[in-house]
Amino acid sequence: MMFTKCDSMLPRTLISLFLLPVLSAEPCAKTPGSNCKCETPSGIKIDLSPLDQSGTPRFTTVDPSNGDTYYYNPCSAFTIPGSACADVAACQKQKSGNYWRIGLQDTANFTGDTTDPTKIHLVYHAQQKPGVRQTNIALECSDSTTPDFKFVNQDPKGSGNFHFTLKWSQLCYKSSGLSAGSVLCIIFLVLVIVYFVGGILFLHFVRGATGAELIPNHSFWKDLPYLIRDGFTFVSNGCKIETTYDKI
């Protein structure tokens, strides 16, 4: 009886292990004492310090739709004399001549994960009336050794949430080792092989099973598509259990 209970748990355990690598991620944690460096648990490093230009903005880009100009410096703060942009990481100059702070260095935060090279963003924000303005920079791999910083859009329009891209060859990062997700995938594959091969051998030689009965937990795998269907139906119905009543 005890063997039957443990045996029935194996498929569920394998499915859980399968989901772990899928849900795993490689977040890039900001390096203490730096606003422009981060590192993942597996050793991937992103370092924008070679692009820093102390005291002045390294990059300038223009919104072609309205002529607004944007200034950005990756690591150290800069000040544009005679403007509202003092000790900032990013600044907006409207075509009308007004300046707005759109990011401070001490708010720098790396978001996303390195399992997808399109997901790493460096985000800044600044308190600016009538609300908070935000700079969101997508860090993208490029073949060019010359960094390219460009304005993308303000999304939603009028929100003060500004999007940019920074493309550079040094952003083509590679892991120095296996990620947590890769390790879990390898463990999952080994367990699957052991589960099916060991189960088939056990059922054949110990229980004398033949045909489809050689598949470990045959009834579970046979019912799995229907269980998945019922799960989707349950979720699509707002997680409500359907009840039916017989007519009296």
Side-chain angles (χ1 to χ4, degrees):
M1 188 69 177
M2 183 63 68
F3 177 81
T4 303
K5 289 182 179 179
C6 294
D7 196 43
S8 65
M9 287 296 294
L10 283 174
R12 295 169 176 81
T13 303
L14 288 172
I15 292 173
S16 299
L17 286 169
F18 170 74
L19 290 174
L20 281 172
V22 173
L23 298 174
S24 66
E26 276 282 283
C28 202
K30 189 168 72 170
T31 303
S34 174
N35 297 318
C36 55
K37 298 178 183 179
C38 71
E39 184 173 354
T40 71
S42 64
I44 296 175
K45 295 181 181 180
I46 293 177
D47 183 5
L48 300 181
S49 61
L51 305 180
D52 185 51
Q53 192 163 281
S54 181
T56 58
R58 169 64 186 268
F59 300 105
T60 302
T61 183
V62 177
D63 178 356
S65 68
N66 59 20
D68 289 355
T69 303
Y70 298 87
Y71 306 92
Y72 170 61
N73 198 50
C75 301
S76 56
F78 66 89
T79 296
I80 297 179
S83 75
C85 291
D87 295 324
V88 297
C91 173
Q92 176 195 25
K93 179 186 178 183
Q94 294 179 317
K95 195 174 182 179
S96 62
N98 294 325
Y99 286 85
W100 299 89
R101 299 182 304 165
I102 60 173
L104 304 179
Q105 287 292 356
D106 59 4
T107 66
N109 184 42
F110 289 87
T111 65
D113 67 88
T114 53
T115 56
D116 184 342
T118 65
K119 286 185 178 179
I120 290 292
H121 293 249
L122 183 51
V123 181
Y124 307 83
H125 64 266
Q127 189 70 39
Q128 186 80 70
K129 293 182 179 180
V132 176
R133 295 189 171 221
Q134 181 172 282
T135 293
N136 189 314
I137 303 170
L139 306 178
E140 299 182 5
C141 173
S142 170
D143 293 332
S144 176
T145 56
T146 302
D148 181 28
F149 179 73
K150 286 186 177 180
F151 174 84
V152 176
N153 60 23
Q154 182 180 182
D155 186 28
K157 191 173 182 179
S159 65
N161 189 7
F162 302 96
H163 294 262
F164 305 85
T165 58
L166 176 57
K167 298 180 180 181
W168 188 33
S169 59
Q170 296 303 308
L171 295 173
C172 301
Y173 40 80
K174 293 182 179 180
S175 174
S176 59
L178 290 175
S179 67
S182 299
V183 172
L184 287 172
C185 282
I186 293 172
I187 293 174
F188 169 74
L189 181 60
V190 171
L191 288 176
V192 167
I193 293 173
V194 171
Y195 169 73
F196 280 104
V197 174
I200 289 171
L201 293 175
F202 174 83
L203 291 173
H204 177 69
F205 291 106
V206 176
R207 295 186 176 179
T210 58
E213 293 180 354
L214 284 171
I215 300 174
N217 301 105
H218 173 258
S219 59
F220 173 83
W221 296 113
K222 183 180 178 181
D223 293 340
L224 183 60
Y226 304 102
L227 294 173
I228 293 173
R229 181 199 62 189
D230 292 343
F232 277 110
T233 302
F234 177 69
V235 173
S236 64
N237 288 336
C239 299
K240 296 179 180 178
I241 300 175
E242 292 185 356
T243 56
T244 59
Y245 299 93
D246 295 330
K247 291 182 178 180
I248 299 176

